[in-house]
Short mmCIF file of all heavy atoms in Angstrom, two decimals:
data_model
loop_
_atom_site.label_atom_id
_atom_site.label_comp_id
_atom_site.label_asym_id
_atom_site.label_seq_id
_atom_site.Cartn_x
_atom_site.Cartn_y
_atom_site.Cartn_z
N HIS A 20 10.99 3.74 18.07
CA HIS A 20 12.34 3.97 17.56
C HIS A 20 12.22 5.00 16.46
O HIS A 20 11.70 4.71 15.37
CB HIS A 20 12.95 2.66 17.04
CG HIS A 20 13.17 1.64 18.10
ND1 HIS A 20 14.29 1.61 18.89
CD2 HIS A 20 12.39 0.61 18.53
CE1 HIS A 20 14.20 0.61 19.76
NE2 HIS A 20 13.05 -0.01 19.55
N PRO A 21 12.64 6.24 16.70
CA PRO A 21 12.33 7.33 15.79
C PRO A 21 12.85 7.15 14.37
O PRO A 21 12.20 7.58 13.41
CB PRO A 21 12.96 8.56 16.46
CG PRO A 21 13.99 8.00 17.40
CD PRO A 21 13.44 6.69 17.85
N ASP A 22 14.01 6.51 14.22
CA ASP A 22 14.59 6.37 12.89
C ASP A 22 13.71 5.52 11.97
O ASP A 22 13.74 5.69 10.75
CB ASP A 22 15.98 5.76 12.97
CG ASP A 22 16.00 4.41 13.68
OD1 ASP A 22 15.46 4.33 14.81
OD2 ASP A 22 16.54 3.44 13.13
N ILE A 23 12.89 4.63 12.54
CA ILE A 23 12.05 3.77 11.73
C ILE A 23 11.01 4.57 10.96
O ILE A 23 10.58 4.17 9.88
CB ILE A 23 11.36 2.72 12.63
CG1 ILE A 23 12.40 1.84 13.32
CG2 ILE A 23 10.38 1.85 11.84
CD1 ILE A 23 13.31 1.09 12.37
N SER A 24 10.60 5.72 11.50
CA SER A 24 9.60 6.55 10.81
C SER A 24 10.19 7.83 10.25
O SER A 24 9.48 8.82 10.04
CB SER A 24 8.44 6.86 11.76
OG SER A 24 8.91 7.35 13.01
N GLY A 25 11.50 7.83 10.00
CA GLY A 25 12.12 8.94 9.28
C GLY A 25 12.62 10.08 10.12
O GLY A 25 12.97 11.13 9.59
N TRP A 26 12.69 9.88 11.44
CA TRP A 26 13.16 10.95 12.31
C TRP A 26 14.66 10.82 12.59
O TRP A 26 15.19 9.72 12.70
CB TRP A 26 12.41 10.90 13.65
CG TRP A 26 10.97 11.30 13.54
CD1 TRP A 26 9.92 10.50 13.24
CD2 TRP A 26 10.44 12.61 13.72
NE1 TRP A 26 8.76 11.21 13.22
CE2 TRP A 26 9.04 12.52 13.52
CE3 TRP A 26 10.99 13.86 14.03
CZ2 TRP A 26 8.19 13.62 13.62
CZ3 TRP A 26 10.15 14.95 14.14
CH2 TRP A 26 8.77 14.84 13.94
N THR A 27 15.31 11.97 12.75
CA THR A 27 16.70 12.05 13.18
C THR A 27 16.78 13.07 14.31
O THR A 27 17.11 14.24 14.09
CB THR A 27 17.63 12.47 12.02
OG1 THR A 27 17.39 11.61 10.89
CG2 THR A 27 19.10 12.36 12.42
N PRO A 28 16.41 12.67 15.54
CA PRO A 28 16.30 13.64 16.63
C PRO A 28 17.56 14.43 16.91
O PRO A 28 17.49 15.56 17.40
CB PRO A 28 15.95 12.74 17.83
CG PRO A 28 15.24 11.58 17.23
CD PRO A 28 15.97 11.32 15.94
N ALA A 29 18.73 13.88 16.59
CA ALA A 29 19.97 14.62 16.85
C ALA A 29 20.14 15.81 15.90
O ALA A 29 20.89 16.74 16.20
CB ALA A 29 21.16 13.69 16.72
N ALA A 30 19.43 15.80 14.78
CA ALA A 30 19.51 16.91 13.82
C ALA A 30 18.50 17.98 14.24
O ALA A 30 17.39 18.06 13.71
CB ALA A 30 19.23 16.41 12.41
N THR A 31 18.88 18.79 15.21
CA THR A 31 17.92 19.69 15.85
C THR A 31 17.33 20.72 14.88
O THR A 31 16.20 21.16 15.05
CB THR A 31 18.59 20.44 17.01
OG1 THR A 31 19.79 21.07 16.54
CG2 THR A 31 18.94 19.48 18.13
N ALA A 32 18.08 21.09 13.84
CA ALA A 32 17.55 22.07 12.90
C ALA A 32 16.47 21.47 12.01
O ALA A 32 15.53 22.15 11.60
CB ALA A 32 18.68 22.63 12.03
N ALA A 33 16.59 20.18 11.71
CA ALA A 33 15.62 19.50 10.85
C ALA A 33 15.51 18.05 11.30
O ALA A 33 16.06 17.15 10.66
CB ALA A 33 16.04 19.58 9.39
N PRO A 34 14.79 17.80 12.41
CA PRO A 34 14.76 16.44 12.96
C PRO A 34 13.91 15.44 12.19
O PRO A 34 13.93 14.27 12.50
CB PRO A 34 14.18 16.66 14.36
CG PRO A 34 13.35 17.89 14.22
CD PRO A 34 14.05 18.76 13.24
N HIS A 35 13.18 15.90 11.19
CA HIS A 35 12.29 14.99 10.45
C HIS A 35 12.56 15.09 8.94
O HIS A 35 11.71 15.52 8.16
CB HIS A 35 10.83 15.35 10.75
CG HIS A 35 9.87 14.23 10.45
ND1 HIS A 35 8.53 14.43 10.34
CD2 HIS A 35 10.05 12.90 10.25
CE1 HIS A 35 7.90 13.29 10.08
NE2 HIS A 35 8.82 12.35 10.02
N PRO A 36 13.76 14.66 8.51
CA PRO A 36 14.15 14.85 7.12
C PRO A 36 13.43 13.94 6.14
O PRO A 36 13.35 14.25 4.95
CB PRO A 36 15.65 14.55 7.13
CG PRO A 36 15.82 13.60 8.28
CD PRO A 36 14.82 14.03 9.30
N GLN A 37 12.92 12.78 6.60
CA GLN A 37 12.29 11.82 5.70
C GLN A 37 10.94 11.38 6.26
O GLN A 37 10.79 10.29 6.79
CB GLN A 37 13.20 10.61 5.50
CG GLN A 37 14.52 10.94 4.83
CD GLN A 37 15.41 9.73 4.67
OE1 GLN A 37 15.53 8.91 5.59
NE2 GLN A 37 16.01 9.58 3.51
N PRO A 38 9.93 12.24 6.17
CA PRO A 38 8.61 11.90 6.73
C PRO A 38 8.06 10.62 6.11
O PRO A 38 8.26 10.33 4.94
CB PRO A 38 7.75 13.11 6.34
CG PRO A 38 8.72 14.23 6.12
CD PRO A 38 9.95 13.58 5.55
N MET A 39 7.36 9.85 6.94
CA MET A 39 6.76 8.60 6.50
C MET A 39 5.30 8.58 6.91
O MET A 39 4.95 9.06 8.00
CB MET A 39 7.51 7.42 7.14
CG MET A 39 6.99 6.05 6.74
SD MET A 39 7.83 4.71 7.65
CE MET A 39 9.50 4.86 6.99
N SER A 40 4.46 8.03 6.08
CA SER A 40 3.05 7.90 6.41
C SER A 40 2.80 6.60 7.17
O SER A 40 3.62 5.67 7.14
CB SER A 40 2.20 7.92 5.14
OG SER A 40 2.41 6.73 4.38
N CYS A 41 1.65 6.51 7.82
CA CYS A 41 1.28 5.27 8.51
C CYS A 41 1.16 4.12 7.50
O CYS A 41 1.55 2.98 7.79
CB CYS A 41 -0.03 5.45 9.26
SG CYS A 41 0.13 6.37 10.81
N ARG A 42 0.61 4.40 6.34
CA ARG A 42 0.48 3.36 5.32
C ARG A 42 1.85 2.85 4.89
O ARG A 42 2.07 1.64 4.76
CB ARG A 42 -0.30 3.88 4.12
CG ARG A 42 -0.41 2.88 2.97
CD ARG A 42 -1.36 3.35 1.90
NE ARG A 42 -2.72 3.32 2.37
CZ ARG A 42 -3.49 2.23 2.36
NH1 ARG A 42 -3.00 1.07 1.93
NH2 ARG A 42 -4.72 2.27 2.80
N HIS A 43 2.77 3.76 4.64
CA HIS A 43 4.13 3.37 4.26
C HIS A 43 4.77 2.51 5.34
O HIS A 43 5.42 1.49 5.05
CB HIS A 43 4.96 4.64 3.99
CG HIS A 43 6.35 4.37 3.54
ND1 HIS A 43 7.28 5.37 3.33
CD2 HIS A 43 7.01 3.21 3.25
CE1 HIS A 43 8.43 4.83 2.96
NE2 HIS A 43 8.30 3.53 2.90
N TYR A 44 4.58 2.92 6.57
CA TYR A 44 5.16 2.19 7.71
C TYR A 44 4.61 0.76 7.76
O TYR A 44 5.37 -0.21 7.90
CB TYR A 44 4.83 2.95 8.99
CG TYR A 44 5.33 2.34 10.28
CD1 TYR A 44 6.61 1.81 10.38
CD2 TYR A 44 4.52 2.33 11.41
CE1 TYR A 44 7.07 1.27 11.58
CE2 TYR A 44 4.97 1.80 12.62
CZ TYR A 44 6.24 1.27 12.69
OH TYR A 44 6.70 0.74 13.87
N ALA A 45 3.30 0.61 7.63
CA ALA A 45 2.68 -0.72 7.66
C ALA A 45 3.11 -1.56 6.47
O ALA A 45 3.38 -2.77 6.61
CB ALA A 45 1.17 -0.58 7.71
N ASP A 46 3.17 -0.95 5.30
CA ASP A 46 3.56 -1.70 4.09
C ASP A 46 4.98 -2.24 4.22
O ASP A 46 5.26 -3.40 3.87
CB ASP A 46 3.44 -0.81 2.85
CG ASP A 46 2.00 -0.52 2.46
OD1 ASP A 46 1.09 -1.18 2.99
OD2 ASP A 46 1.79 0.38 1.62
N ALA A 47 5.89 -1.38 4.69
CA ALA A 47 7.29 -1.80 4.85
C ALA A 47 7.41 -2.92 5.89
O ALA A 47 8.15 -3.89 5.69
CB ALA A 47 8.15 -0.61 5.25
N ALA A 48 6.66 -2.80 6.98
CA ALA A 48 6.71 -3.83 8.03
C ALA A 48 6.16 -5.15 7.51
O ALA A 48 6.69 -6.22 7.84
CB ALA A 48 5.92 -3.36 9.25
N GLU A 49 5.12 -5.10 6.70
CA GLU A 49 4.55 -6.34 6.17
C GLU A 49 5.52 -7.02 5.21
O GLU A 49 5.62 -8.25 5.19
CB GLU A 49 3.21 -6.08 5.49
CG GLU A 49 2.48 -7.36 5.12
CD GLU A 49 0.99 -7.19 4.98
OE1 GLU A 49 0.55 -6.10 4.59
OE2 GLU A 49 0.25 -8.15 5.27
N ARG A 50 6.24 -6.24 4.44
CA ARG A 50 7.25 -6.84 3.55
C ARG A 50 8.32 -7.55 4.37
O ARG A 50 8.77 -8.65 4.00
CB ARG A 50 7.87 -5.76 2.65
CG ARG A 50 6.94 -5.26 1.55
CD ARG A 50 7.70 -4.45 0.51
NE ARG A 50 8.28 -3.24 1.05
CZ ARG A 50 7.65 -2.07 1.10
NH1 ARG A 50 6.41 -1.96 0.64
NH2 ARG A 50 8.25 -0.99 1.59
N HIS A 51 8.75 -6.93 5.47
CA HIS A 51 9.76 -7.56 6.33
C HIS A 51 9.21 -8.82 6.97
O HIS A 51 9.93 -9.83 7.08
CB HIS A 51 10.22 -6.57 7.41
CG HIS A 51 11.23 -5.58 6.94
ND1 HIS A 51 10.91 -4.32 6.53
CD2 HIS A 51 12.59 -5.68 6.80
CE1 HIS A 51 12.00 -3.67 6.17
NE2 HIS A 51 13.03 -4.48 6.31
N LEU A 52 7.95 -8.80 7.38
CA LEU A 52 7.36 -9.99 7.96
C LEU A 52 7.30 -11.11 6.93
O LEU A 52 7.64 -12.27 7.23
CB LEU A 52 5.95 -9.68 8.48
CG LEU A 52 5.28 -10.85 9.20
CD1 LEU A 52 5.80 -10.97 10.63
CD2 LEU A 52 3.76 -10.70 9.21
N ASP A 53 6.89 -10.79 5.71
CA ASP A 53 6.81 -11.81 4.66
C ASP A 53 8.19 -12.41 4.38
O ASP A 53 8.32 -13.62 4.16
CB ASP A 53 6.23 -11.20 3.39
CG ASP A 53 4.75 -10.91 3.51
OD1 ASP A 53 4.09 -11.53 4.36
OD2 ASP A 53 4.25 -10.06 2.74
N ALA A 54 9.22 -11.56 4.39
CA ALA A 54 10.58 -12.06 4.15
C ALA A 54 11.00 -13.00 5.28
O ALA A 54 11.63 -14.04 5.04
CB ALA A 54 11.55 -10.89 4.04
N GLY A 55 10.66 -12.64 6.53
CA GLY A 55 10.99 -13.50 7.65
C GLY A 55 10.26 -14.83 7.59
O GLY A 55 10.83 -15.89 7.89
N LEU A 56 9.00 -14.79 7.20
CA LEU A 56 8.23 -16.03 7.05
C LEU A 56 8.83 -16.93 5.98
O LEU A 56 8.92 -18.16 6.16
CB LEU A 56 6.77 -15.69 6.70
CG LEU A 56 5.89 -15.23 7.85
CD1 LEU A 56 4.60 -14.62 7.31
CD2 LEU A 56 5.58 -16.39 8.79
N LYS A 57 9.25 -16.33 4.89
CA LYS A 57 9.85 -17.10 3.80
C LYS A 57 11.10 -17.83 4.28
O LYS A 57 11.30 -19.03 4.00
CB LYS A 57 10.17 -16.19 2.63
CG LYS A 57 10.78 -16.92 1.44
CD LYS A 57 11.08 -15.94 0.30
CE LYS A 57 11.73 -16.67 -0.88
NZ LYS A 57 12.06 -15.73 -1.99
#
């Protein structure tokens, strides 16, 4: 799902306005998992 990693494919002039690193992606997902567990 491109929006999860900062992509906006419909914006053809600049489809990647908010680049995300793999570390950032994993950290954010772990926070969501912890919230769900709680």
Side-chain angles (χ1 to χ4, degrees):
H20 295 275
D22 57 308
I23 299 301
S24 49
W26 290 87
T27 308
T31 53
H35 200 196
Q37 297 179 317
M39 181 185 294
S40 70
C41 283
R42 176 171 290 276
H43 182 184
Y44 179 43
D46 288 348
E49 189 156 32
R50 288 193 297 270
H51 279 97
L52 184 79
D53 288 338
L56 282 166
K57 181 180 178 181

